[in-house]
């Protein structure tokens, strides 16, 4: 019976840690860039776009497709950075738990 109570306490502790980590991830801000810094996006930890900066040299009529591609690439760069930070925080939080490899947390 004590083992069950101890386990329940650990589950509650883990839940509180996960909630705190999710708040930290939401507050996280990352920059994604492409084109050698010609396009820079600011995103939160969940991948929501917060801001964009575009070098004025890209504002030419015949460069629209290039600009569109650079924006997509900058977004991917920012999202990849946010996911890497999230994975690092999750790994630290779940250290020692028997979680299968490749399982993403938080769900």
């Amino acid at each position: 019976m004590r083992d069950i109570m101890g386990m329940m306490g650990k589950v509650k502790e883990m839940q509180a840690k996960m909630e705190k980590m999710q708040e930290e991830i939401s507050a996280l801000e990352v920059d994604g860039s492409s084109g050698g810094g010609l396009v820079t996006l600011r995103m939160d930890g969940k991948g929501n776009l917060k801001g964009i900066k575009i070098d004025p040299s890209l504002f030419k009529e015949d460069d629209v497709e290039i600009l569109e591609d650079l924006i997509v690439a900058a977004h991917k760069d920012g999202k990849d950075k946010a996911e890497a930070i999230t994975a690092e925080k999750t790994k630290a939080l779940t250290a020692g738990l028997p979680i299968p490899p490749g399982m993403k947390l938080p769900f």
Side-chain angles (χ1 to χ4, degrees), residues 87 90-91 94 97-107:
T90 302
K91 184 178 178 181
T94 60
L97 293 178
I99 295 176
M103 184 173 178
K104 289 188 174 185
L105 292 174
F107 305 103

Side-chain angles (χ1 to χ4, degrees), residues 14-80:
M14 176 64 82
Q15 183 178 17
K17 287 181 180 180
M18 286 294 286
E19 288 174 5
K20 183 179 179 197
M21 184 185 74
Q22 287 176 340
E23 289 173 12
E24 289 174 1
I25 290 169
S26 293
L28 181 69
E29 288 195 358
V30 294
D31 288 332
S33 64
S34 63
L38 293 174
V39 175
T40 303
L41 301 177
R42 182 162 269 308
M43 303 167 54
D44 68 17
K46 295 199 177 222
N48 298 315
L49 186 62
K50 296 294 185 179
I52 185 169
K53 289 184 181 182
I54 302 171
D55 188 282
S57 67
L58 292 174
F59 291 109
K60 298 176 187 168
E61 286 184 36
D62 49 336
D63 289 343
V64 172
E65 287 182 30
I66 294 171
L67 178 58
E68 291 169 347
D69 291 342
L70 289 173
I71 291 171
V72 170
H75 186 269
K76 182 183 181 324
D77 181 52
K79 187 174 180 190
D80 290 346

